[in-house]
Amino acid sequence: MMKGMIVAGVMSGTSADGVNVALVRMDSRASGSRRASNSKFELLGHAEYSYPERVREAVLSAMNASRASVADLARLNFLLGELYSNAVLATERRFRVKADLVGCHGQTLYHQGEAQVFLGRKVAATWQAGEAAIVAARVGVPVVSDFRPADIATGGKGAPLVPFLDYMLFCDARVGRIVQNIGGIANLTAIPAGAAAGDVLAFDCGPGNMVIDAVSEKLFRKPFDRGGNIATSGKVLDKVVRGMLQREFFRRKPPKTAGREEFGREFVLEFLRSCGRCRKQDAVATATALTAKSIADAVGRFVLKKSRPPRKPGFQELILSGGGAKNRALVAMLNSDLAPLGLRLRLSDEFGLPSAAKEAVAFAVLAYETWHRRPSNIPSATGAKQAAVLGKISYPCC
């Protein structure tokens, strides 16, 4: 068994369905070095906890809200800190493991990776709620949180950050791989065979589960389409999908990042208007197809066309992770759309990393790098001008 620091990674995605916790044993041999990390990890356990219904409603209401109560946002920040603490402690009890460090991504309420004019100055901004001081006090260990601002401060978009784990886990000397995560947002990491970290291309490619979940909630009063059962019974409206893919975001070159600002309430209302008076099942099937088609389009447009220099192998595999991997209809559509591109579809589970645990593991790994003062953004993925040590550290009470 590997010896080293045990880190609890905590993740809440843009779907706002709850909290994922991964307990990870990190190899301590790289400790003390500020060079690029050669860290290794072992997943000790993973657990998922749903938000209470009223908390989920509050989170969804706060995301990208045009108006919000400052008092309610402050209270939500501290409440999420308590929920994250409870989730870590419950996971420790379940697997009989005590963490030495926590890496807590928090709940994204707003993310604007592109600088926009505000009060006369151009600024980019991001905000992840979940008070780390509460987690440190309750769990009794240091907490690394607020990972994205350091990348934005160096000119990056603050996302995606998971490519650091993708490169560590999936880089291969002979096989070019595209690592596709489908959470609330779909994001990919393209790792050429034998790539150095600077060769990695990563970006958000569109809605993952976010639009599917919103349509399922609105039409069927279900928070998500479990297993893709609703989509399987519907018919895809191809014209609607083609129309949506003409939007500027899908055509914009990477690096790029997305959230509810692009694919939230307003987008869903426009999508449903485009569906017209179709059957409800058809709307869910069409939302599912939009996710699959947007991924395949991004792969073909931005990854494969860019990756064909002479004498270099192309990409052979697409490795799928995230909650979308549980949606059988989505996986089937994606498999069909990838076939003409010559890509073999695999699951991250085949590599020893459960699909649902990946993002929580990623923030455990990032926290470990921060603890050792090592940078863990990938500038080619985020657009940052330089590598940066990510996050802020909160310490437990003495």
Side-chain angles (χ1 to χ4, degrees):
M1 180 181 291
M2 198 165 62
K3 295 182 179 180
M5 175 178 277
I6 296 175
V7 187
V10 185
M11 178 66 192
S12 297
T14 46
S15 292
D17 47 4
V19 184
N20 288 294
V21 180
L23 292 170
V24 178
R25 191 191 306 275
M26 297 296 305
D27 187 349
S28 61
R29 287 179 296 177
S31 297
S33 170
R34 297 192 188 185
R35 297 176 298 170
S37 173
N38 293 315
S39 303
K40 299 183 184 300
F41 70 87
E42 174 190 2
L43 178 60
L44 303 177
H46 170 250
E48 302 177 50
Y49 306 91
S50 297
Y51 280 146
E53 185 175 347
R54 292 178 63 191
V55 172
R56 184 169 191 261
E57 290 174 357
V59 169
L60 290 174
S61 296
M63 284 180 173
N64 197 31
S66 57
R67 289 180 176 272
S69 160
V70 174
D72 285 348
L73 291 176
R75 293 172 184 135
L76 181 61
N77 182 51
F78 276 74
L79 174 60
L80 289 174
E82 298 286 0
L83 294 180
Y84 294 152
S85 304
N86 293 342
V88 172
L89 292 170
T91 307
E92 288 181 332
R93 289 192 297 269
R94 177 176 172 181
F95 293 101
R96 299 181 181 180
V97 171
K98 175 61 180 174
D100 303 302
L101 180 72
V102 174
C104 185
H105 172 268
Q107 180 68 65
T108 298
L109 297 184
Y110 186 77
H111 184 80
Q112 177 211 308
E114 299 279 353
Q116 297 179 12
V117 176
F118 176 71
L119 301 180
R121 296 286 296 271
K122 291 190 75 173
V123 295
T126 189
W127 186 20
Q128 285 70 46
E131 182 50 60
I134 294 292
V135 182
R138 303 291 183 266
V139 180
V141 298
V143 176
V144 183
S145 64
D146 219 12
F147 291 88
R148 301 190 185 278
D151 182 80
I152 288 179
T154 60
K157 292 178 171 53
L161 299 181
V162 175
F164 186 88
L165 173 67
D166 290 337
Y167 178 74
M168 177 192 297
L169 189 61
F170 297 112
C171 185
D172 188 273
R174 295 180 297 277
V175 181
R177 290 169 170 157
I178 299 167
V179 186
Q180 179 69 58
N181 185 73
I182 305 180
I185 292 294
N187 51 74
L188 66 79
T189 305
I191 310 170
D199 299 326
V200 171
L201 172 68
F203 58 94
D204 289 348
C205 43
N209 302 314
M210 183 182 295
V211 175
I212 304 170
D213 292 350
V215 173
S216 299
E217 179 85 56
K218 191 169 186 66
L219 300 183
F220 290 91
R221 297 187 180 277
K222 294 183 177 181
F224 59 95
D225 180 13
R226 185 180 297 276
N229 293 330
I230 300 173
T232 301
S233 65
K235 179 181 178 181
V236 174
L237 305 177
D238 292 319
K239 184 177 180 180
V240 173
V241 175
R242 288 195 300 269
M244 289 291 162
L245 289 178
Q246 295 305 308
R247 293 174 68 97
E248 188 272 338
F249 176 85
F250 297 112
R251 293 182 283 110
R252 189 193 315 159
K253 293 180 180 179
K256 57 182 178 178
T257 182
R260 289 191 178 272
E261 295 74 23
E262 288 76 20
F263 300 110
R265 301 180 193 91
E266 295 82 4
F267 181 90
V268 171
L269 289 174
E270 181 182 342
F271 171 82
L272 289 172
R273 282 195 297 268
S274 298
C275 290
R277 297 184 178 180
C278 71
R279 294 190 314 144
K280 294 190 292 184
Q281 293 90 335
D282 295 347
V284 176
T286 303
T288 306
L290 175 62
T291 293
K293 292 284 186 186
S294 62
I295 290 170
D297 180 70
V299 169
R301 187 191 301 242
F302 301 120
V303 179
L304 299 186
K305 286 184 179 179
K306 186 179 178 181
S307 65
R308 292 176 179 169
R311 298 184 298 279
K312 284 193 176 183
F315 291 90
Q316 294 87 43
E317 298 178 344
L318 186 140
I319 301 167
L320 186 60
S321 64
K326 298 178 182 178
N327 185 321
R328 293 184 297 274
L330 176 55
V331 173
M333 290 179 185
L334 185 58
N335 201 18
S336 176
D337 291 333
L338 291 173
L341 302 178
L343 292 170
R344 178 189 175 197
L345 183 62
R346 303 181 66 183
L347 297 177
S348 67
D349 303 63
E350 299 175 43
F351 297 82
L353 180 60
S355 298
K358 180 184 166 187
E359 289 187 292
V361 169
F363 284 96
V365 172
L366 294 178
Y368 181 78
E369 296 303 303
T370 299
W371 187 250
H372 293 294
R373 302 184 187 181
R374 291 192 291 260
S376 55
N377 63 333
I378 296 184
S380 61
T382 65
K385 294 182 177 66
Q386 63 190 59
V389 178
L390 304 179
K392 303 163 186 173
I393 302 176
S394 301
Y395 291 91
C397 303
C398 298

